[in-house]
Amino acid sequence: MEKIFDEIISDNQDYLNKIRENPKLGKKSKVVYVYSLGNKTIEYPFKDGKIIYIGKAHRNKEATYKRFTQHFQEKGTGSNRSLINFKDSGSKIRLQIFLLDQSENVDEIELLLFQWHIKEYGALPIAFSAGGKNYLKTTIDEAPIQKVQCIVDNL
């Protein structure tokens, strides 16, 4: 396993060019990656931490780097509303990408990172599972929240 990228990305979009130009992120590359906060911490049950998202990418038919173009899109598959909100709120977001050997199982490595995070911090990273069509800004804005208002009012 090799760290091939480690930068604060929220200050500029130049990081996408660096990722796109990295020959190690082509077709069939296996990577796990971590988004963390550079300027704040998250209060997790066991201790404060900076990690907000753990993910994986492995693509056979297109370059693996394309996964990183999706996270901060307002629409489309692969966007992550929580990551977008952290970025839009002015948080410094750090991206670290780790290249796996072809013999390593990307699903297993990602799962082990989740398990480590739960063991270390007491919960999954805060931005986990905030992707997909159910979490697009337009979907959230149009959601019939009033159906759960009596619960929300008591939280």
Side-chain angles (χ1 to χ4, degrees):
M1 201 174 313
E2 171 191 3
K3 185 189 290 187
I4 59 171
F5 189 85
D6 186 354
E7 284 191 27
I8 299 288
I9 62 165
S10 50
D11 292 335
N12 64 55
Q13 292 295 311
D14 215 24
Y15 78 94
L16 285 175
N17 290 331
K18 291 179 185 177
I19 290 172
R20 188 179 295 114
E21 293 166 2
N22 189 324
K24 294 181 178 180
L25 289 170
K27 289 180 184 175
K28 299 186 180 181
S29 298
K30 295 179 183 181
V31 299
V32 292
Y33 51 90
V34 176
Y35 286 100
S36 56
L37 297 178
N39 59 338
K40 323 176 182 183
T41 58
I42 301 294
E43 187 177 329
Y44 286 110
F46 295 165
K47 66 180 180 181
D48 291 354
K50 292 183 173 271
I51 294 172
I52 56 174
Y53 187 83
I54 295 169
K56 66 174 185 230
H58 177 223
R59 299 184 172 204
N60 288 318
K61 295 183 180 179
E62 61 183 3
T64 299
Y65 78 79
K66 290 188 176 187
R67 177 67 184 109
F68 301 98
T69 65
Q70 297 172 326
H71 290 124
F72 295 96
Q73 292 178 350
E74 286 293 332
K75 296 181 180 177
T77 305
S79 66
N80 185 297
R81 174 54 40 203
S82 295
L83 290 176
I84 292 167
N85 288 343
F86 274 111
K87 183 178 180 222
D88 289 350
S89 73
S91 296
K92 302 272 187 206
I93 298 176
R94 177 183 181 193
L95 171 60
Q96 296 173 282
I97 304 173
F98 300 86
L99 181 68
L100 277 58
D101 296 330
Q102 286 301 312
S103 62
E104 292 178 285
N105 181 323
V106 69
D107 295 318
E108 178 186 22
I109 300 300
E110 181 192 41
L111 176 60
L112 289 170
L113 287 170
F114 288 142
Q115 291 170 333
W116 165 81
H117 198 275
I118 293 169
K119 185 176 182 179
E120 188 74 16
Y121 296 98
L124 286 166
I126 195 168
F128 181 70
S129 291
K133 66 180 181 179
N134 290 330
Y135 302 101
L136 294 174
K137 182 170 181 3
T138 52
T139 306
I140 292 169
D141 288 345
E142 296 169 4
I145 302 297
Q146 68 275 10
K147 288 183 178 180
V148 294
Q149 196 63 51
C150 64
I151 296 171
V152 173
D153 290 343
N154 288 287
L155 296 178

